[in-house]
Amino acid sequence: MKTRITELFGIEHPIMQGGMHFVGFAELAAAVSNAGGLGVITGLTQRTPDDLAKEIARCREMTDKPFGVNLTFLPSVNPPDYPGYVKAIIDGGVKIVETAGNNPQKWLPALKEVGIKVVHKCTSVRHALKAESIGCDAVSVDGFECGGHPGEDDVPNFILLPRAAEELKIPFLASGGMANARSLVAALAMGADGMNMGTRFMATKEAPIHDHVKQAIVAASELDTRLIMRSLRNTERVLINAGVERLLEKEKSLGAAIKFEDIIPEVAGVYPKIMLEGEMDAGAWSCGMVVGLIHDIPTCQDLIDQIMTEARGLIRDRLEGLLAA
């Protein structure tokens, strides 16, 4: 399948793996890339730029296909060594970077100078247009369904994607609620040039996370996510568990008086405990409503092959078949 995204990234299929904290290690990125998609290493999961350099090298040993690195720019009292991470990406020969969080404008010249393609994650059309205006090569448009941070506009993809198609000139990926062939064909129909899957790739054999997490995703329904930190205007969609219930109770009881410090036990440093050790009630972890569409734990190759085979069938048989002769 040929789209503006496959052409831009030099990949076979218009499917990208999103950056995910303590999930996007070299094993998963390489498996997705080897299957014809675009695998992505999560930069800030690596504690230092040197660690990221080693992870990029590890991934390079596992695949000769294109892969990317996610770099999330967040406001912080003690910000990460962003210049160091950018240097590790450039020195590692990575050609695609997924940026997220704050405006990546100050980092674009260094990346573009060496021919790196930049795709920025956005949760609104206005942010996507801003990314286009500063020189991003593509954007990932995240609907309200998505795991992680859906923004504060609450616009689902059935509206957001066609709006993006009306406004944008650069290619864009549909993100949030993407899991299968129907997701891909619908995204293409609404104007996207491919899809970005996060939660779906967590439930694969190569995802280097605890089996408890994978089983929780398979067992969950589309009704099992919750929105946290709304009152702090830092909304995050997560899978319900005991830690999340404790957090929501604090939000309810403290109301407008809540501060980030009040919920630190449920959100700070919980990812290693959950993703690596399988402590499922340790706290909040990003997860999309798409869990309702995830029923198995295939290899990345089998997952992507099935999506592409069924997508062709949907387009040729179902959609073309609906047209009157």
Side-chain angles (χ1 to χ4, degrees), residues 248-313:
L248 289 171
E249 187 55 42
K250 288 180 183 179
E251 290 198 49
K252 184 178 175 184
S253 60
L254 293 170
I258 196 166
K259 297 190 290 293
F260 183 72
E261 292 73 26
D262 298 318
I263 58 170
I264 279 178
E266 286 76 36
V267 297
V270 300
Y271 270 80
K273 293 177 189 171
I274 296 163
M275 297 299 163
L276 305 182
E277 298 167 28
E279 293 183 29
M280 297 309 296
D281 291 324
W285 57 281
S286 296
C287 183
M289 296 176 87
V290 75
V291 286
L293 297 173
I294 299 173
H295 312 301
D296 59 356
I297 304 171
T299 65
C300 291
Q301 185 74 57
D302 287 345
L303 174 61
I304 290 178
D305 285 351
Q306 181 180 16
I307 288 172
M308 296 312 301
T309 299
E310 291 181 3
R312 290 186 189 98

Side-chain angles (χ1 to χ4, degrees), residues 117-306:
K117 305 296 184 190
V118 177
V119 51
H120 187 61
K121 285 176 72 75
C122 307
T123 59
S124 69
V125 173
R126 66 185 182 280
H127 291 151
L129 286 168
K130 179 66 175 176
E132 180 178 81
S133 74
I134 64 174
C136 291
D137 299 281
V139 288
S140 174
V141 177
D142 283 32
F144 185 51
E145 309 93 322
C146 73
H149 298 278
E152 307 300 324
D153 293 344
D154 301 358
V155 181
N157 267 330
F158 231 79
I159 309 301
L160 190 59
L161 297 177
R163 279 289 296 120
E166 285 180 351
E167 301 280 352
L168 292 170
K169 296 181 179 66
I170 57 174
F172 69 96
L173 292 144
S175 187
M178 303 291 134
N180 54 32
R182 290 191 180 99
S183 312
L184 177 58
V185 174
L188 296 171
M190 287 190 277
D193 301 280
M195 69 176 177
N196 181 36
M197 298 197 301
T199 305
R200 184 61 188 101
F201 277 124
M202 294 175 73
T204 57
K205 292 221 171 9
E206 294 90 348
I209 57 176
H210 201 283
D211 193 56
H212 288 176
V213 182
K214 300 181 187 184
Q215 296 300 335
I217 288 171
V218 171
S221 86
E222 63 274 19
L223 304 177
D224 290 328
T225 68
R226 297 292 183 271
L227 297 171
I228 62 170
M229 297 189 285
R230 296 236 85 173
S231 48
L232 297 169
R233 290 193 63 77
N234 188 31
T235 302
E236 183 179 2
R237 187 178 295 283
V238 299
L239 194 70
I240 188 71
N241 62 29
V244 169
E245 287 174 342
R246 288 195 304 272
L247 192 159
L248 289 171
E249 187 55 42
K250 288 180 183 179
E251 290 198 49
K252 184 178 175 184
S253 60
L254 293 170
I258 196 166
K259 297 190 290 293
F260 183 72
E261 292 73 26
D262 298 318
I263 58 170
I264 279 178
E266 286 76 36
V267 297
V270 300
Y271 270 80
K273 293 177 189 171
I274 296 163
M275 297 299 163
L276 305 182
E277 298 167 28
E279 293 183 29
M280 297 309 296
D281 291 324
W285 57 281
S286 296
C287 183
M289 296 176 87
V290 75
V291 286
L293 297 173
I294 299 173
H295 312 301
D296 59 356
I297 304 171
T299 65
C300 291
Q301 185 74 57
D302 287 345
L303 174 61
I304 290 178
D305 285 351
Q306 181 180 16

Side-chain angles (χ1 to χ4, degrees), residues 63-126:
T63 185
D64 58 0
K65 304 283 181 68
F67 63 89
V69 171
N70 164 281
L71 203 49
T72 300
F73 299 105
L74 297 170
S76 173
V77 178
N78 300 303
D81 178 9
Y82 284 121
Y85 283 105
V86 170
K87 185 176 187 302
I89 289 167
I90 293 170
D91 291 350
V94 174
K95 291 302 178 190
I96 301 145
V97 168
E98 177 192 52
T99 56
N102 286 356
N103 187 327
Q105 186 166 10
K106 72 178 281 191
W107 308 104
L108 290 184
L111 297 171
K112 306 283 272 189
E113 189 179 329
V114 292
I116 292 174
K117 305 296 184 190
V118 177
V119 51
H120 187 61
K121 285 176 72 75
C122 307
T123 59
S124 69
V125 173
R126 66 185 182 280

